[in-house]
Amino acid sequence: MAKQQSGTDDLRRLVRDLGKLPAEVRKELRPTLRKAGVRARTRAKGNASWSRRIPGAIRLQVSFAKRRPGVALRVDQQRAPHARALENLGKPGFFRHPFFGDREQWVSQRARPFLFSAAQEEWRSINADIAAAVFTAARKHGF
């Protein structure tokens, strides 16, 4: 069974074929890609509503770089340094850390994943939106 193409794969192929995307194509694609990722960001902020700092630290990033084109959710490490540990790579369970920095005494704390689950739930619609945007932009600019 062949792998199903995703919108991100289409964007990667477009970036690979064209090299650096022309400014007018990037200008046209950026708002559509941002709009596709807003739902995931909103869901992630809702998932992290138990925290005072994490929801405000979640950012949406749109990139046309050759290595990783697409939409990414990022958490500002300066504003919410505890977010990465609490996310626990999207897995429920526990993680361990020193008790108030005392390396002699360690405690276990329950993980509270908020980011991976939000992105996973919105993945299909984000990919469909990206594929549609790439197709529309490519067609409009004669590709």
Side-chain angles (χ1 to χ4, degrees):
M1 186 169 135
K3 180 184 169 195
Q4 184 179 357
Q5 282 300 118
S6 70
T8 306
D9 292 337
D10 293 338
L11 183 60
R12 280 190 185 111
R13 193 176 321 104
L14 182 66
V15 170
R16 185 189 66 226
D17 291 346
L18 294 179
K20 185 176 180 187
L21 286 177
E24 62 272 1
V25 175
R26 279 183 284 146
K27 187 175 182 180
E28 185 175 324
L29 280 174
R30 191 172 301 278
T32 309
L33 294 180
R34 181 166 291 286
K35 183 179 168 192
V38 165
R39 289 187 306 271
R41 184 186 68 195
T42 303
R43 187 178 294 258
K45 285 183 174 191
N47 290 350
S49 63
W50 45 265
S51 171
R52 288 178 301 152
R53 294 186 287 173
I54 293 175
I58 297 174
R59 296 285 175 251
L60 180 67
Q61 181 181 10
V62 176
S63 173
F64 296 108
K66 225 174 194 176
R67 285 184 166 217
R68 290 195 168 204
V71 178
L73 290 176
R74 304 235 185 248
V75 179
D76 184 354
Q77 187 178 2
Q78 300 299 313
R79 293 178 67 188
H82 58 297
R84 184 175 181 164
L86 288 168
E87 176 63 23
N88 200 31
L89 293 175
K91 297 179 224 154
F94 291 85
F95 64 95
R96 291 176 43 79
H97 61 86
F99 185 68
F100 288 102
D102 179 7
R103 300 236 177 236
E104 299 296 319
Q105 188 177 8
W106 287 72
V107 295
S108 292
Q109 184 173 343
R110 182 176 298 281
R112 299 185 79 171
F114 59 92
L115 194 62
F116 280 67
S117 59
Q120 203 169 27
E121 290 170 9
E122 296 291 337
W123 182 247
R124 278 191 209 278
S125 62
I126 290 171
N127 263 334
D129 292 348
I130 290 173
V134 168
F135 180 76
T136 303
R139 184 168 230 179
K140 182 177 178 182
H141 293 280
F143 298 110

